[in-house]
């Protein structure tokens, strides 16, 4: 007879493993199934985020930034380095070690919380809400389990480029997905990147800092269209000055693969262009990962774009079957997946789990970093909402000057009448951390005056946040 659980989670990415831990904390007998393996066949829970996404990209961004600082910024501090070199193999090995530490951390957390982990591919094998859902596991942890509630958290996979009529398959030798982009064995001389989104900009930055000539080809005519225009404009200025060649409004018409990769494209004016690269990263978005679920066996409904169809509470069309994270609608971000995981576990327990999409922060870990929460100026204008804006540049922040990191600014947008904060937008040093203040403020319904009246440590980057809030009322103290 198959073992029965209260909750079974399929997928142990940030959505799935957090959902499993929260379900176990709430007293449910919980299973989590995940198929990701290390090269030697061991379980590697953590999903895309831990294995080939958030974590390894940040490890390489840190290593490459250290290298760039040592080569360029240290001299300003009076520090000279003779014979600076980079050992890519060692850098990649360090990145892999950071990933393993995170995999091991999740294995430990499962044990600590008494979550039963099954290493393998889970798929629906029948059942009903009344009798429980049956899940078949194939792989090292093979077997069948039954569960009263199932949380689908199978994530996403990279979208394949279609050039003209032909699909350009990933080979992770010349045509790289995010996995390949994080494992290039030596610095390519010419690196092409298709897609100027978060992943393209982060990966392009890593390899540019290490010495590659990087060209980014983007289909959209505007740069970072989802960001506030003022931030996007500043980012464009900084990134192009750093040496990233970014071409907008491009239509890829063909890709030829030989010793090198040649990309044929038409530019904004429709003129035919071509460029050759030693490696090509394709980062044009991600698609939901549902193929292995055997959704048809139970009639689990997918939407027209292939995502598992859910309502705003992550309920699917099947009673007691839920879905969270990248496999459902919404921003493909690890923290959104995690929060949905917590909320669903709490809903199963009869509590009122909630995720506020309006306060989900966005971060791009380039240098300078970019971060935002809430609405942009262009969104407020389009919605006809009257607002006041306050901006403060890092050039006027003492800590930023001491760090030698004065690029960028913080900006608040506040309702013109009530002063309630509607958005915070930032480009500059460690804004991935500073954005948390904007998120907290918005969650608590704060006004810009609230931030302006809070004591911020001196000297700190957070003083730029306070000053931007003061700027909403046109009364900065240090500008
Ligand atoms: C290069 C890169 C950098 C990124 N950086 C960031 C970042 O800095 N911050 C951020 O918030 N987001 C980042 N993301 C996005 C983030 O990784 C995803 O939003 C997040 O991983 C989604 O979590 P998830 O749990 O929904 O799915 P995933 O992390 O994709 O996990 C799903 C898991 O389910 C497994 N699985 C799938 N089908 C089955 C099955 N049938 N049976 C068993 N297991 C199955 C998969 O193998 C995988 O382990 C990045 C993504 C990439 C590619």
């Amino acid at each position: 007879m198959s073992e029965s659980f209260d909750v079974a989670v399929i997928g142990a990415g940030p959505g799935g493993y957090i959902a499993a831990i929260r379900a176990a904390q709430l007293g449910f007998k919980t299973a989590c199934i995940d198929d990701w393996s290390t090269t030697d066949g061991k379980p590697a829970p953590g999903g895309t985020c831990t294995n080939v996404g958030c974590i390894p990209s940040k490890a390489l961004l840190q290593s490459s930034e250290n290298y760039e600082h040592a080569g360029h910024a240290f001299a300003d501090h009076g520090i000279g380095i003779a014979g600076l070199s980079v050992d890519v193999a060692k850098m990649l090995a360090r990145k892999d070690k950071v990933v393993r530490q995170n995999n091991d951390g999740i294995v430990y957390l499962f044990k600590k919380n008494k979550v039963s982990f099954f290493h393998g591919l889970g798929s629906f094998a029948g059942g009903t809400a009344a009798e429980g859902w049956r899940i078949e596991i194939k792989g090292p942890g093979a077997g069948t389990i039954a569960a009263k509630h199932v949380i689908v958290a199978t994530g996403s996979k990279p979208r394949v480029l279609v050039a003209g009529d032909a699909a350009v398959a990933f080979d992770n030798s010349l045509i790289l997905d995010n996995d390949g982009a994080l494992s290039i064995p030596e610095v390519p001389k010419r690196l092409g990147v298709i897609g100027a989104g978060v992943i393209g900009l982060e990966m392009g930055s890593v390899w540019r800092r290490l010495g590659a000539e990087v060209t980014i080809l983007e289909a959209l005519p505007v740069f970072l269209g989802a960001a506030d225009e003022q931030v996007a404009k500043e980012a464009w200025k900084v990134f192009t000055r750093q040496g990233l060649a970014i071409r907008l409004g491009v239509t890829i018409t063909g890709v030829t693969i030989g010793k090198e990769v040649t990309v044929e494209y038409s530019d904004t004016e429709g003129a035919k262009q071509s460029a050759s690269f030693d490696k090509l990263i394709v980062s044009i978005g991600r698609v939901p990962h549902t193929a292995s679920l055997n959704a048809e066996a139970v009639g689990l409904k997918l939407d027209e774009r292939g995502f598992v169809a859910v309502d705003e509470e992550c309920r699917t069309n099947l009673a007691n079957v839920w879905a969270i994270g990248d496999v459902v609608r919404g921003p493909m971000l690890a923290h959104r997946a995690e929060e949905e995981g917590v909320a669903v576990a709490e809903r199963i327990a009869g509590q009122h789990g909630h995720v506020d999409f309006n306060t989900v922060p966005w971060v791009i870990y380039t240098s300078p970093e970019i971060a935002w929460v809430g609405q942009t100026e262009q969104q407020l204008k389009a919605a006809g909402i009257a607002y006041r804006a306050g901006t403060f540049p890092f050039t006027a922040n003492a800590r930023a000057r001491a760090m030698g990191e004065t690029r960028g600014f913080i900006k608040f947008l506040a309702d013109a009448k009530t002063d309630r904060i509607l958005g915070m937008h930032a480009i500059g040093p460690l804004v991935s951390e500073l954005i948390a203040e904007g998120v907290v403020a918005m969650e608590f319904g704060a006004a810009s005056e609230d931030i302006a009246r809070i004591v911020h440590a001196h000297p700190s980057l957070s003083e730029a946040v306070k000053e931007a809030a003061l700027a909403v009322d046109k009364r900065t103290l240090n500008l």
Side-chain angles (χ1 to χ4, degrees):
M1 225 181 68
S2 58
E3 190 173 359
S4 289
F5 291 88
D6 298 317
V7 178
V9 185
I10 310 180
Y17 93 78
I18 289 289
I21 288 173
R22 186 70 188 118
Q25 281 177 349
L26 289 162
F28 294 117
K29 185 180 176 196
T30 305
C32 187
I33 307 151
D34 191 273
D35 65 331
W36 210 298
S37 304
T38 59
T39 42
D40 52 358
K42 297 209 178 84
T48 300
C49 170
T50 300
N51 292 294
V52 292
C54 325
I55 304 304
S57 60
K58 268 76 251 178
L60 286 188
L61 279 157
Q62 189 61 52
S63 298
S64 59
E65 192 166 9
N66 289 349
Y67 177 65
E68 185 157 83
H69 279 181
H72 299 285
F74 280 12
D76 284 348
H77 294 259
I79 303 167
I81 298 180
L84 180 67
S85 66
V86 63
D87 180 342
V88 175
K90 197 162 176 185
M91 201 178 271
L92 296 181
R94 176 188 174 275
K95 177 251 322 175
D96 291 339
K97 193 170 158 202
V98 173
V99 168
R100 290 291 86 83
Q101 285 166 344
N102 282 275
N103 296 140
D104 293 347
I106 297 167
V107 171
Y108 161 79
L109 289 170
F110 279 161
K111 281 201 185 114
K112 181 182 162 208
N113 288 282
K114 301 191 173 46
V115 171
S116 301
F117 178 68
F118 294 86
H119 186 203
L121 204 62
S123 55
F124 284 101
T128 61
E131 71 186 29
W133 300 101
R134 279 195 313 283
I135 296 166
E136 188 188 355
I137 303 159
K138 289 195 187 118
T144 302
I145 61 170
K148 186 152 187 258
H149 288 267
V150 178
I151 304 176
V152 176
T154 47
S156 63
K157 53 189 185 167
R159 183 187 298 280
V160 173
L161 174 71
V162 176
D165 288 335
V168 183
F170 293 110
D171 60 11
N172 277 340
S173 163
L174 286 174
I175 310 292
L176 313 178
D177 62 13
N178 50 297
D179 193 0
L182 289 159
S183 310
I184 306 178
E186 56 192 41
V187 181
K189 188 167 174 323
R190 300 158 308 165
L191 176 68
V193 180
I194 312 277
V198 179
I199 297 172
L201 288 172
E202 290 187 0
M203 290 298 94
S205 294
V206 164
W207 295 104
R208 180 203 57 76
R209 290 171 193 164
L210 297 178
E213 278 165 30
V214 178
T215 304
I216 304 184
L217 303 174
E218 166 60 49
L220 293 174
V222 286
F223 180 58
L224 283 180
D228 187 84
E229 266 171 17
Q230 197 182 347
V231 169
K233 227 163 131 189
E234 178 72 9
W236 173 270
K237 226 168 50 193
V238 180
F239 296 159
T240 50
R241 205 179 295 142
Q242 286 172 349
L244 286 180
I246 308 170
R247 314 266 175 265
L248 300 176
V250 157
T251 306
I252 311 282
T253 49
V255 173
T256 314
I257 303 165
K259 273 200 176 133
E260 56 182 21
V261 189
T262 302
V263 180
E264 313 283 342
Y265 63 95
S266 54
D267 63 20
T268 19
E269 273 82 49
K272 285 190 185 346
Q273 306 283 355
S274 99
S276 295
F277 305 109
D278 302 304
K279 303 271 179 196
L280 183 71
I281 297 173
V282 176
S283 50
I284 53 169
R286 299 179 61 81
V287 292
H289 193 175
T290 55
S292 53
L293 274 174
N294 198 17
E296 321 76 61
V298 285
L300 178 67
K301 201 172 148 204
L302 307 185
D303 70 17
E304 60 290 346
R305 294 186 304 148
F307 290 90
V308 176
V310 286
D311 67 8
E312 62 285 359
E313 296 207 315
C314 296
R315 288 172 213 276
T316 68
N317 64 312
L318 303 175
N320 298 351
V321 178
W322 311 73
I324 59 169
D326 277 14
V327 80
V328 303
R329 82 290 173 263
M332 287 189 169
L333 293 168
H335 40 283
R336 193 263 298 189
E338 290 179 24
E339 292 309 320
E340 282 185 340
V342 169
V344 163
E346 292 179 352
R347 283 171 199 141
I348 291 172
Q351 299 179 3
H352 300 283
H354 177 66
V355 184
D356 184 355
F357 274 40
N358 294 318
T359 53
V360 173
W362 289 80
V363 178
I364 309 177
Y365 294 82
T366 41
S367 179
E369 293 179 344
I370 296 169
W372 72 88
V373 59
Q375 289 173 279
T376 60
E377 257 193 87
Q378 57 270 30
Q379 284 171 328
L380 292 175
K381 278 182 190 146
I385 298 170
Y387 64 92
R388 294 192 301 165
T391 304
F392 190 81
F394 281 106
T395 44
N397 174 270
R399 182 80 197 279
R401 285 197 293 252
M403 291 167 69
E405 295 278 356
T406 53
R407 295 164 304 185
F409 55 84
I410 305 270
K411 169 171 168 178
F412 272 111
L413 301 172
D415 188 281
K417 256 207 215 122
T418 64
D419 193 34
R420 188 181 177 133
I421 297 169
L422 302 173
M424 174 176 157
H425 303 272
I427 174 165
L430 289 175
V431 297
S432 57
E433 304 293 335
L434 298 179
I435 198 65
E437 186 168 357
V439 176
V440 171
M442 286 183 67
E443 276 289 345
F444 281 79
S448 77
E449 188 186 348
D450 292 321
I451 301 288
R453 287 188 182 276
I454 291 172
V455 183
H456 288 70
H458 176 74
S460 71
L461 297 172
S462 70
E463 285 175 294
V465 177
K466 177 191 172 96
E467 289 276 2
L470 281 164
V472 172
D473 201 33
K474 300 200 173 18
R475 53 188 186 92
T476 53
L477 296 165
N478 284 285
L479 188 68

